[in-house]
Amino acid sequence: MSTYTTYSIVGQKEDVSDIITDISPTDTPMVSMIKTQKVHNRIYQYQTDALEAAASNKAVEGADASIAALTPTTMISGNTQILTKAFQVSATSDATSSYGRAKETAYALGRALKAIKRDLEFAYVGASNAAVAGNASGPVAREMASADQLIASGVTKDQGSNATDALTEAKLLELGQAVFEAGGDPSVFMVSPGKAQIIAGFTGASGRNRNFNDAQKTLTNVIDLYVSPYGEYKVVLNRHQMTTHAFLLDPTMWRSAVMRPFSRTLLAKTGDSEKHFVVGEYGLMHMNPSASGQITGLSA
């Protein structure tokens, strides 16, 4: 007897899930933790100042005043960087019934906005990038200075002595002391994911004990808050951060310089499709170069 099976059926309905799974990380710790500041020119400037070092101060009774020379403020300049994403969708694509989305344009726009925010995070901490003024004759695109370029040398510690080496607690403490002595008050220690295991290992140092009293027998091996002699640092993991750098940050001293916030523009129609252009213009500001610190020369 010949059995009629599903392999012979003509016109079977498709079984396609309406869920589109995308685990690409969209968290942007640096962008999210700092405030924005509106700028009105591609070149923006801000000033810093510092008091004289504390010193012995005594005067003879009745003596004339001793006039000290005044020190001018320091001007810091930065420039904005234009970030873009563009996509084109045919009219038929938007009219077509698809699984997992109502319209291709709406889905593509959502992806573009998430992706361009990741690009902004990368511009801040994903690469060591000196500012580029840009020009129209090349043409050459403008580039903002990345976070590591905006931190003073006095609060920059080289873990690898111009090579590469693993992160150590001693180097973190050395950096914390340098930033503290410079007057900074950092609260975030931001690292790439691989450094989390090293930081968790700080608890295994000689003389430190941990109690495991959880009736569920849960083993916790993570440090979310590191308390040092120079302050408390929240440990933040950043998937987009350079593996060679670790940042000790005071988020209140950083700004996203915004000349044009991200927006979508519909470009001129030239046929049976629509062209969409997402654009924003941003820079990065460190209100005082010594307010935050960094460890460089780290191994991956």
Side-chain angles (χ1 to χ4, degrees), residues 223-264:
I223 293 179
D224 295 321
L225 183 68
Y226 181 84
V227 181
S228 81
Y230 311 107
E232 298 183 0
Y233 312 138
K234 179 182 178 182
V235 179
V236 173
L237 305 188
N238 192 331
R239 294 180 175 96
H240 308 288
Q241 183 173 319
M242 295 178 285
T243 59
T244 53
H245 288 60
F247 295 106
L248 191 58
L249 304 171
D250 179 355
T252 67
M253 298 299 291
W254 293 85
R255 298 287 187 276
S256 284
V258 184
M259 189 170 182
R260 292 185 290 160
F262 290 125
S263 62
R264 186 271 306 262

mmCIF file of all heavy atoms in Angstrom, residues 223-264:
data_model
loop_
_atom_site.group_PDB
_atom_site.id
_atom_site.type_symbol
_atom_site.label_atom_id
_atom_site.label_comp_id
_atom_site.label_asym_id
_atom_site.label_seq_id
_atom_site.Cartn_x
_atom_site.Cartn_y
_atom_site.Cartn_z
ATOM 1 N N ILE A 223 33.656 41.477 40.419
ATOM 2 C CA ILE A 223 33.788 42.711 41.198
ATOM 3 C C ILE A 223 33.033 43.805 40.462
ATOM 4 O O ILE A 223 33.365 44.148 39.330
ATOM 5 C CB ILE A 223 35.266 43.114 41.380
ATOM 6 C CG1 ILE A 223 35.991 42.098 42.251
ATOM 7 C CG2 ILE A 223 35.368 44.509 41.991
ATOM 8 C CD1 ILE A 223 37.454 42.402 42.465
ATOM 9 N N ASP A 224 31.959 44.296 41.081
ATOM 10 C CA ASP A 224 31.176 45.386 40.498
ATOM 11 C C ASP A 224 31.640 46.743 41.012
ATOM 12 O O ASP A 224 31.472 47.756 40.333
ATOM 13 C CB ASP A 224 29.689 45.218 40.825
ATOM 14 C CG ASP A 224 29.105 43.980 40.171
ATOM 15 O OD1 ASP A 224 29.471 43.698 39.013
ATOM 16 O OD2 ASP A 224 28.291 43.287 40.806
ATOM 17 N N LEU A 225 32.191 46.756 42.224
ATOM 18 C CA LEU A 225 32.640 48.003 42.836
ATOM 19 C C LEU A 225 33.984 47.771 43.508
ATOM 20 O O LEU A 225 34.114 46.890 44.357
ATOM 21 C CB LEU A 225 31.614 48.485 43.882
ATOM 22 C CG LEU A 225 31.931 49.822 44.565
ATOM 23 C CD1 LEU A 225 31.814 50.967 43.561
ATOM 24 C CD2 LEU A 225 31.000 50.059 45.748
ATOM 25 N N TYR A 226 34.955 48.537 43.094
ATOM 26 C CA TYR A 226 36.295 48.421 43.669
ATOM 27 C C TYR A 226 36.518 49.630 44.584
ATOM 28 O O TYR A 226 36.446 50.776 44.133
ATOM 29 C CB TYR A 226 37.349 48.397 42.558
ATOM 30 C CG TYR A 226 38.772 48.248 43.062
ATOM 31 C CD1 TYR A 226 39.298 46.996 43.353
ATOM 32 C CD2 TYR A 226 39.585 49.361 43.252
ATOM 33 C CE1 TYR A 226 40.598 46.851 43.812
ATOM 34 C CE2 TYR A 226 40.882 49.232 43.717
ATOM 35 C CZ TYR A 226 41.386 47.971 43.994
ATOM 36 O OH TYR A 226 42.668 47.843 44.466
ATOM 37 N N VAL A 227 36.769 49.371 45.849
ATOM 38 C CA VAL A 227 36.998 50.430 46.833
ATOM 39 C C VAL A 227 38.498 50.542 47.066
ATOM 40 O O VAL A 227 39.130 49.608 47.580
ATOM 41 C CB VAL A 227 36.262 50.148 48.157
ATOM 42 C CG1 VAL A 227 36.497 51.280 49.147
ATOM 43 C CG2 VAL A 227 34.770 49.953 47.897
ATOM 44 N N SER A 228 39.060 51.663 46.675
ATOM 45 C CA SER A 228 40.497 51.885 46.798
ATOM 46 C C SER A 228 40.755 52.969 47.837
ATOM 47 O O SER A 228 39.824 53.645 48.292
ATOM 48 C CB SER A 228 41.077 52.317 45.449
ATOM 49 O OG SER A 228 40.858 53.700 45.237
ATOM 50 N N PRO A 229 42.015 53.190 48.214
ATOM 51 C CA PRO A 229 42.312 54.286 49.130
ATOM 52 C C PRO A 229 41.988 55.659 48.538
ATOM 53 O O PRO A 229 41.927 56.648 49.266
ATOM 54 C CB PRO A 229 43.824 54.143 49.363
ATOM 55 C CG PRO A 229 44.147 52.731 49.033
ATOM 56 C CD PRO A 229 43.213 52.370 47.930
ATOM 57 N N TYR A 230 41.776 55.699 47.211
ATOM 58 C CA TYR A 230 41.588 56.977 46.532
ATOM 59 C C TYR A 230 40.170 57.178 46.016
ATOM 60 O O TYR A 230 39.889 58.165 45.332
ATOM 61 C CB TYR A 230 42.584 57.086 45.369
ATOM 62 C CG TYR A 230 43.987 56.750 45.794
ATOM 63 C CD1 TYR A 230 44.578 55.549 45.415
ATOM 64 C CD2 TYR A 230 44.710 57.615 46.623
ATOM 65 C CE1 TYR A 230 45.864 55.230 45.841
ATOM 66 C CE2 TYR A 230 45.983 57.291 47.050
ATOM 67 C CZ TYR A 230 46.556 56.098 46.654
ATOM 68 O OH TYR A 230 47.826 55.777 47.089
ATOM 69 N N GLY A 231 39.271 56.263 46.356
ATOM 70 C CA GLY A 231 37.884 56.407 45.941
ATOM 71 C C GLY A 231 37.268 55.075 45.552
ATOM 72 O O GLY A 231 37.931 54.037 45.515
ATOM 73 N N GLU A 232 35.979 55.109 45.286
ATOM 74 C CA GLU A 232 35.236 53.921 44.875
ATOM 75 C C GLU A 232 35.010 53.969 43.372
ATOM 76 O O GLU A 232 34.565 54.982 42.830
ATOM 77 C CB GLU A 232 33.898 53.849 45.614
ATOM 78 C CG GLU A 232 34.037 53.733 47.125
ATOM 79 C CD GLU A 232 32.690 53.593 47.813
ATOM 80 O OE1 GLU A 232 31.651 53.593 47.112
ATOM 81 O OE2 GLU A 232 32.675 53.470 49.052
ATOM 82 N N TYR A 233 35.290 52.845 42.701
ATOM 83 C CA TYR A 233 35.175 52.788 41.247
ATOM 84 C C TYR A 233 34.180 51.691 40.848
ATOM 85 O O TYR A 233 34.382 50.512 41.184
ATOM 86 C CB TYR A 233 36.523 52.485 40.596
ATOM 87 C CG TYR A 233 37.673 53.327 41.102
ATOM 88 C CD1 TYR A 233 38.920 52.756 41.350
ATOM 89 C CD2 TYR A 233 37.520 54.691 41.350
ATOM 90 C CE1 TYR A 233 39.988 53.516 41.810
ATOM 91 C CE2 TYR A 233 38.575 55.465 41.822
ATOM 92 C CZ TYR A 233 39.811 54.863 42.058
ATOM 93 O OH TYR A 233 40.865 55.621 42.520
ATOM 94 N N LYS A 234 33.139 52.072 40.135
ATOM 95 C CA LYS A 234 32.218 51.096 39.563
ATOM 96 C C LYS A 234 32.889 50.476 38.338
ATOM 97 O O LYS A 234 33.375 51.184 37.461
ATOM 98 C CB LYS A 234 30.910 51.777 39.164
ATOM 99 C CG LYS A 234 29.896 50.829 38.542
ATOM 100 C CD LYS A 234 28.634 51.579 38.120
ATOM 101 C CE LYS A 234 27.634 50.638 37.463
ATOM 102 N NZ LYS A 234 26.420 51.364 36.992
ATOM 103 N N VAL A 235 32.918 49.160 38.270
ATOM 104 C CA VAL A 235 33.541 48.472 37.139
ATOM 105 C C VAL A 235 32.500 48.320 36.026
ATOM 106 O O VAL A 235 31.438 47.723 36.230
ATOM 107 C CB VAL A 235 34.084 47.092 37.551
ATOM 108 C CG1 VAL A 235 34.699 46.387 36.343
ATOM 109 C CG2 VAL A 235 35.111 47.239 38.665
ATOM 110 N N VAL A 236 32.802 48.898 34.873
ATOM 111 C CA VAL A 236 31.890 48.875 33.733
ATOM 112 C C VAL A 236 32.585 48.190 32.557
ATOM 113 O O VAL A 236 33.708 48.549 32.190
ATOM 114 C CB VAL A 236 31.472 50.307 33.329
ATOM 115 C CG1 VAL A 236 30.662 50.291 32.036
ATOM 116 C CG2 VAL A 236 30.690 50.970 34.446
ATOM 117 N N LEU A 237 31.911 47.197 31.967
ATOM 118 C CA LEU A 237 32.449 46.507 30.791
ATOM 119 C C LEU A 237 31.945 47.194 29.529
ATOM 120 O O LEU A 237 30.777 47.568 29.437
ATOM 121 C CB LEU A 237 32.016 45.041 30.777
ATOM 122 C CG LEU A 237 32.342 44.194 32.008
ATOM 123 C CD1 LEU A 237 32.009 42.731 31.736
ATOM 124 C CD2 LEU A 237 33.797 44.343 32.401
ATOM 125 N N ASN A 238 32.850 47.342 28.557
ATOM 126 C CA ASN A 238 32.484 47.980 27.301
ATOM 127 C C ASN A 238 32.939 47.099 26.143
ATOM 128 O O ASN A 238 34.141 46.906 25.928
ATOM 129 C CB ASN A 238 33.126 49.369 27.204
ATOM 130 C CG ASN A 238 32.551 50.186 26.058
ATOM 131 O OD1 ASN A 238 32.114 49.647 25.052
ATOM 132 N ND2 ASN A 238 32.553 51.496 26.223
ATOM 133 N N ARG A 239 31.980 46.553 25.407
ATOM 134 C CA ARG A 239 32.286 45.653 24.295
ATOM 135 C C ARG A 239 33.007 46.353 23.144
ATOM 136 O O ARG A 239 33.668 45.711 22.340
ATOM 137 C CB ARG A 239 31.000 45.034 23.752
ATOM 138 C CG ARG A 239 30.271 44.099 24.694
ATOM 139 C CD ARG A 239 29.027 43.563 24.003
ATOM 140 N NE ARG A 239 28.334 42.561 24.786
ATOM 141 C CZ ARG A 239 27.293 42.828 25.583
ATOM 142 N NH1 ARG A 239 26.874 44.069 25.706
ATOM 143 N NH2 ARG A 239 26.688 41.857 26.245
ATOM 144 N N HIS A 240 32.858 47.664 23.058
ATOM 145 C CA HIS A 240 33.422 48.413 21.924
ATOM 146 C C HIS A 240 34.776 49.039 22.253
ATOM 147 O O HIS A 240 35.393 49.668 21.396
ATOM 148 C CB HIS A 240 32.441 49.512 21.504
ATOM 149 C CG HIS A 240 31.053 49.022 21.266
ATOM 150 N ND1 HIS A 240 30.707 48.258 20.175
ATOM 151 C CD2 HIS A 240 29.909 49.160 21.996
ATOM 152 C CE1 HIS A 240 29.419 47.959 20.230
ATOM 153 N NE2 HIS A 240 28.917 48.485 21.325
ATOM 154 N N GLN A 241 35.234 48.900 23.463
ATOM 155 C CA GLN A 241 36.452 49.585 23.916
ATOM 156 C C GLN A 241 37.715 48.883 23.429
ATOM 157 O O GLN A 241 37.762 47.657 23.297
ATOM 158 C CB GLN A 241 36.447 49.654 25.441
ATOM 159 C CG GLN A 241 37.623 50.402 26.045
ATOM 160 C CD GLN A 241 37.471 50.573 27.539
ATOM 161 O OE1 GLN A 241 36.379 50.856 28.029
ATOM 162 N NE2 GLN A 241 38.546 50.398 28.277
ATOM 163 N N MET A 242 38.759 49.680 23.198
ATOM 164 C CA MET A 242 40.073 49.120 22.866
ATOM 165 C C MET A 242 40.530 48.165 23.960
ATOM 166 O O MET A 242 40.411 48.475 25.150
ATOM 167 C CB MET A 242 41.113 50.243 22.741
ATOM 168 C CG MET A 242 40.895 51.210 21.627
ATOM 169 S SD MET A 242 42.170 52.514 21.644
ATOM 170 C CE MET A 242 41.611 53.516 23.024
ATOM 171 N N THR A 243 41.074 47.026 23.574
ATOM 172 C CA THR A 243 41.574 46.073 24.566
ATOM 173 C C THR A 243 42.884 46.539 25.180
ATOM 174 O O THR A 243 43.287 46.059 26.243
ATOM 175 C CB THR A 243 41.788 44.690 23.925
ATOM 176 O OG1 THR A 243 42.725 44.802 22.850
ATOM 177 C CG2 THR A 243 40.478 44.134 23.403
ATOM 178 N N THR A 244 43.554 47.487 24.546
ATOM 179 C CA THR A 244 44.857 47.969 25.022
ATOM 180 C C THR A 244 44.733 49.053 26.087
ATOM 181 O O THR A 244 45.740 49.471 26.651
ATOM 182 C CB THR A 244 45.675 48.531 23.857
ATOM 183 O OG1 THR A 244 44.886 49.520 23.163
ATOM 184 C CG2 THR A 244 46.053 47.420 22.884
ATOM 185 N N HIS A 245 43.508 49.516 26.347
ATOM 186 C CA HIS A 245 43.308 50.629 27.276
ATOM 187 C C HIS A 245 42.284 50.277 28.351
ATOM 188 O O HIS A 245 41.344 49.520 28.108
ATOM 189 C CB HIS A 245 42.805 51.873 26.527
ATOM 190 C CG HIS A 245 43.836 52.546 25.680
ATOM 191 N ND1 HIS A 245 44.474 51.911 24.630
ATOM 192 C CD2 HIS A 245 44.340 53.813 25.721
ATOM 193 C CE1 HIS A 245 45.322 52.759 24.059
ATOM 194 N NE2 HIS A 245 45.262 53.909 24.701
ATOM 195 N N ALA A 246 42.490 50.850 29.533
ATOM 196 C CA ALA A 246 41.497 50.819 30.605
ATOM 197 C C ALA A 246 41.335 52.258 31.084
ATOM 198 O O ALA A 246 42.328 52.974 31.277
ATOM 199 C CB ALA A 246 41.952 49.922 31.753
ATOM 200 N N PHE A 247 40.092 52.695 31.254
ATOM 201 C CA PHE A 247 39.822 54.096 31.584
ATOM 202 C C PHE A 247 39.274 54.239 32.998
ATOM 203 O O PHE A 247 38.351 53.523 33.388
ATOM 204 C CB PHE A 247 38.819 54.696 30.593
ATOM 205 C CG PHE A 247 39.323 54.780 29.177
ATOM 206 C CD1 PHE A 247 38.849 53.911 28.210
ATOM 207 C CD2 PHE A 247 40.283 55.716 28.823
ATOM 208 C CE1 PHE A 247 39.302 53.982 26.905
ATOM 209 C CE2 PHE A 247 40.743 55.792 27.515
ATOM 210 C CZ PHE A 247 40.262 54.933 26.555
ATOM 211 N N LEU A 248 39.838 55.175 33.744
ATOM 212 C CA LEU A 248 39.340 55.541 35.064
ATOM 213 C C LEU A 248 38.669 56.901 34.897
ATOM 214 O O LEU A 248 39.347 57.919 34.762
ATOM 215 C CB LEU A 248 40.488 55.594 36.070
ATOM 216 C CG LEU A 248 40.121 55.717 37.551
ATOM 217 C CD1 LEU A 248 39.235 54.558 38.005
ATOM 218 C CD2 LEU A 248 41.375 55.796 38.419
ATOM 219 N N LEU A 249 37.345 56.905 34.891
ATOM 220 C CA LEU A 249 36.595 58.060 34.416
ATOM 221 C C LEU A 249 35.782 58.751 35.503
ATOM 222 O O LEU A 249 35.229 58.107 36.401
ATOM 223 C CB LEU A 249 35.627 57.633 33.309
ATOM 224 C CG LEU A 249 36.211 56.911 32.095
ATOM 225 C CD1 LEU A 249 35.093 56.375 31.220
ATOM 226 C CD2 LEU A 249 37.126 57.837 31.306
ATOM 227 N N ASP A 250 35.699 60.071 35.361
ATOM 228 C CA ASP A 250 34.701 60.857 36.069
ATOM 229 C C ASP A 250 33.684 61.280 35.013
ATOM 230 O O ASP A 250 33.934 62.215 34.243
ATOM 231 C CB ASP A 250 35.337 62.088 36.712
ATOM 232 C CG ASP A 250 34.315 62.955 37.454
ATOM 233 O OD1 ASP A 250 33.107 62.652 37.381
ATOM 234 O OD2 ASP A 250 34.735 63.940 38.099
ATOM 235 N N PRO A 251 32.539 60.577 34.901
ATOM 236 C CA PRO A 251 31.588 60.867 33.825
ATOM 237 C C PRO A 251 31.093 62.309 33.814
ATOM 238 O O PRO A 251 30.713 62.818 32.747
ATOM 239 C CB PRO A 251 30.431 59.892 34.110
ATOM 240 C CG PRO A 251 31.055 58.786 34.897
ATOM 241 C CD PRO A 251 32.105 59.452 35.742
ATOM 242 N N THR A 252 31.093 62.982 34.976
ATOM 243 C CA THR A 252 30.599 64.355 35.023
ATOM 244 C C THR A 252 31.535 65.323 34.314
ATOM 245 O O THR A 252 31.158 66.469 34.047
ATOM 246 C CB THR A 252 30.413 64.825 36.480
ATOM 247 O OG1 THR A 252 31.696 64.915 37.130
ATOM 248 C CG2 THR A 252 29.527 63.868 37.258
ATOM 249 N N MET A 253 32.748 64.883 33.998
ATOM 250 C CA MET A 253 33.734 65.748 33.358
ATOM 251 C C MET A 253 33.846 65.496 31.852
ATOM 252 O O MET A 253 34.736 66.034 31.192
ATOM 253 C CB MET A 253 35.097 65.583 34.018
ATOM 254 C CG MET A 253 35.130 65.982 35.482
ATOM 255 S SD MET A 253 34.701 67.729 35.755
ATOM 256 C CE MET A 253 36.120 68.529 35.031
ATOM 257 N N TRP A 254 32.947 64.693 31.310
ATOM 258 C CA TRP A 254 32.940 64.413 29.866
ATOM 259 C C TRP A 254 31.634 64.904 29.261
ATOM 260 O O TRP A 254 30.596 64.926 29.919
ATOM 261 C CB TRP A 254 33.091 62.914 29.602
ATOM 262 C CG TRP A 254 34.426 62.349 29.993
ATOM 263 C CD1 TRP A 254 34.788 61.913 31.233
ATOM 264 C CD2 TRP A 254 35.564 62.159 29.145
ATOM 265 N NE1 TRP A 254 36.086 61.461 31.209
ATOM 266 C CE2 TRP A 254 36.594 61.591 29.938
ATOM 267 C CE3 TRP A 254 35.819 62.386 27.792
ATOM 268 C CZ2 TRP A 254 37.841 61.275 29.423
ATOM 269 C CZ3 TRP A 254 37.063 62.074 27.271
ATOM 270 C CH2 TRP A 254 38.060 61.516 28.089
ATOM 271 N N ARG A 255 31.683 65.295 28.000
ATOM 272 C CA ARG A 255 30.502 65.733 27.274
ATOM 273 C C ARG A 255 30.513 65.193 25.846
ATOM 274 O O ARG A 255 31.562 65.122 25.206
ATOM 275 C CB ARG A 255 30.444 67.266 27.187
ATOM 276 C CG ARG A 255 30.355 68.004 28.508
ATOM 277 C CD ARG A 255 28.989 67.871 29.158
ATOM 278 N NE ARG A 255 28.895 68.723 30.329
ATOM 279 C CZ ARG A 255 29.321 68.384 31.542
ATOM 280 N NH1 ARG A 255 29.883 67.183 31.727
ATOM 281 N NH2 ARG A 255 29.197 69.211 32.557
ATOM 282 N N SER A 256 29.341 64.827 25.371
ATOM 283 C CA SER A 256 29.148 64.588 23.942
ATOM 284 C C SER A 256 28.829 65.944 23.322
ATOM 285 O O SER A 256 27.790 66.538 23.628
ATOM 286 C CB SER A 256 27.983 63.626 23.685
ATOM 287 O OG SER A 256 28.330 62.296 23.958
ATOM 288 N N ALA A 257 29.747 66.441 22.506
ATOM 289 C CA ALA A 257 29.521 67.717 21.828
ATOM 290 C C ALA A 257 28.625 67.459 20.623
ATOM 291 O O ALA A 257 29.006 66.749 19.698
ATOM 292 C CB ALA A 257 30.853 68.324 21.395
ATOM 293 N N VAL A 258 27.430 68.038 20.639
ATOM 294 C CA VAL A 258 26.439 67.747 19.602
ATOM 295 C C VAL A 258 26.207 68.987 18.747
ATOM 296 O O VAL A 258 25.696 70.000 19.219
ATOM 297 C CB VAL A 258 25.096 67.294 20.220
ATOM 298 C CG1 VAL A 258 24.119 66.901 19.117
ATOM 299 C CG2 VAL A 258 25.310 66.142 21.182
ATOM 300 N N MET A 259 26.591 68.914 17.498
ATOM 301 C CA MET A 259 26.266 69.981 16.556
ATOM 302 C C MET A 259 24.972 69.656 15.813
ATOM 303 O O MET A 259 24.123 70.512 15.620
ATOM 304 C CB MET A 259 27.410 70.184 15.564
ATOM 305 C CG MET A 259 27.226 71.415 14.690
ATOM 306 S SD MET A 259 28.712 71.783 13.741
ATOM 307 C CE MET A 259 28.179 73.292 12.909
ATOM 308 N N ARG A 260 24.839 68.392 15.413
ATOM 309 C CA ARG A 260 23.606 67.921 14.778
ATOM 310 C C ARG A 260 23.264 66.553 15.345
ATOM 311 O O ARG A 260 24.009 65.598 15.115
ATOM 312 C CB ARG A 260 23.771 67.812 13.258
ATOM 313 C CG ARG A 260 23.921 69.136 12.537
ATOM 314 C CD ARG A 260 23.965 68.913 11.023
ATOM 315 N NE ARG A 260 25.190 68.266 10.588
ATOM 316 C CZ ARG A 260 25.323 67.628 9.432
ATOM 317 N NH1 ARG A 260 24.297 67.511 8.617
ATOM 318 N NH2 ARG A 260 26.485 67.091 9.091
ATOM 319 N N PRO A 261 22.184 66.428 16.108
ATOM 320 C CA PRO A 261 21.812 65.108 16.631
ATOM 321 C C PRO A 261 21.406 64.193 15.481
ATOM 322 O O PRO A 261 21.058 64.659 14.383
ATOM 323 C CB PRO A 261 20.630 65.408 17.556
ATOM 324 C CG PRO A 261 20.078 66.698 17.067
ATOM 325 C CD PRO A 261 21.233 67.475 16.521
ATOM 326 N N PHE A 262 21.443 62.893 15.723
ATOM 327 C CA PHE A 262 21.103 61.943 14.677
ATOM 328 C C PHE A 262 19.673 62.177 14.174
ATOM 329 O O PHE A 262 18.734 62.327 14.962
ATOM 330 C CB PHE A 262 21.235 60.507 15.186
ATOM 331 C CG PHE A 262 22.658 60.094 15.427
ATOM 332 C CD1 PHE A 262 23.059 59.593 16.662
ATOM 333 C CD2 PHE A 262 23.606 60.198 14.417
ATOM 334 C CE1 PHE A 262 24.368 59.207 16.877
ATOM 335 C CE2 PHE A 262 24.919 59.813 14.624
ATOM 336 C CZ PHE A 262 25.305 59.325 15.856
ATOM 337 N N SER A 263 19.543 62.202 12.854
ATOM 338 C CA SER A 263 18.235 62.379 12.238
ATOM 339 C C SER A 263 18.216 61.648 10.899
ATOM 340 O O SER A 263 19.254 61.355 10.313
ATOM 341 C CB SER A 263 17.905 63.857 12.038
ATOM 342 O OG SER A 263 18.847 64.462 11.152
ATOM 343 N N ARG A 264 16.991 61.385 10.412
ATOM 344 C CA ARG A 264 16.829 60.706 9.125
ATOM 345 C C ARG A 264 16.315 61.704 8.097
ATOM 346 O O ARG A 264 15.363 62.460 8.342
ATOM 347 C CB ARG A 264 15.849 59.530 9.276
ATOM 348 C CG ARG A 264 15.695 58.627 8.033
ATOM 349 C CD ARG A 264 14.603 59.117 7.080
ATOM 350 N NE ARG A 264 13.331 59.299 7.741
ATOM 351 C CZ ARG A 264 12.348 58.391 7.702
ATOM 352 N NH1 ARG A 264 12.526 57.268 7.036
ATOM 353 N NH2 ARG A 264 11.198 58.624 8.308
#
